[in-house]
Amino acid sequence: MICRFDGGLYVITDTAFHPTLDLYHLSRQAFAGGAHWVQLRDKSSEARSRILDCLTQWQRHDMRMLKRILVNDHVDIACQFPYCGAHIGKLDEKHPIARQMLGEDRI
């Protein structure tokens, strides 16, 4: 089954704009507010651990939501969680590698 982007509200979380909230709580608020998709964006030095923590919490509380989450830049992290997708830059050279890592079933 090929996963397709079906439109709807697309929210990009960024801890730089909300330093008191973690990615899990930001993404929960986005979904509660009607988001269809949430992109986890964190450019800090703690990004990997913050993203892993968020996805682990989603996996523990509501794994179905993982299919509506895109991990910014960290394709390897997205691959660790079922259904999770990834977002990489339009001009990023990693597109073929990311597609190979994610397979055809993920965004």
Side-chain angles (χ1 to χ4, degrees):
M1 178 182 155
I2 302 293
C3 187
R4 302 219 187 273
F5 181 76
D6 62 1
L9 180 62
Y10 184 106
V11 174
I12 301 171
T13 64
D14 194 331
T15 54
F17 295 112
H18 303 282
T20 60
L21 293 174
D22 60 40
L23 288 171
Y24 175 70
H25 289 96
L26 286 171
S27 57
R28 273 187 53 179
Q29 288 180 352
F31 286 130
H36 291 193
W37 300 91
V38 172
Q39 178 182 327
L40 303 178
R41 184 178 189 276
D42 188 332
K43 297 289 187 174
S44 74
S45 59
E46 296 90 25
R48 292 185 68 79
S49 64
R50 289 178 177 179
I51 292 168
L52 282 167
D53 180 59
C54 175
L55 295 175
T56 300
Q57 289 186 63
W58 276 116
Q59 188 172 37
R60 197 170 31 238
H61 298 294
D62 191 350
M63 186 180 280
R64 296 169 302 154
M65 298 307 284
L66 290 173
K67 67 183 177 184
R68 296 170 53 191
I69 295 175
L70 303 174
V71 177
N72 193 75
D73 293 337
H74 300 282
V75 177
D76 61 317
I77 293 175
C79 289
Q80 294 178 40
F81 294 85
Y83 317 116
C84 231
H87 175 275
I88 56 176
K90 187 175 182 178
L91 301 177
D92 200 316
E93 296 175 0
K94 295 187 259 181
H95 281 127
I97 295 167
R99 176 52 52 212
Q100 183 178 8
M101 289 173 69
L102 289 166
E104 294 298 322
D105 294 345
R106 299 189 198 198
I107 293 176

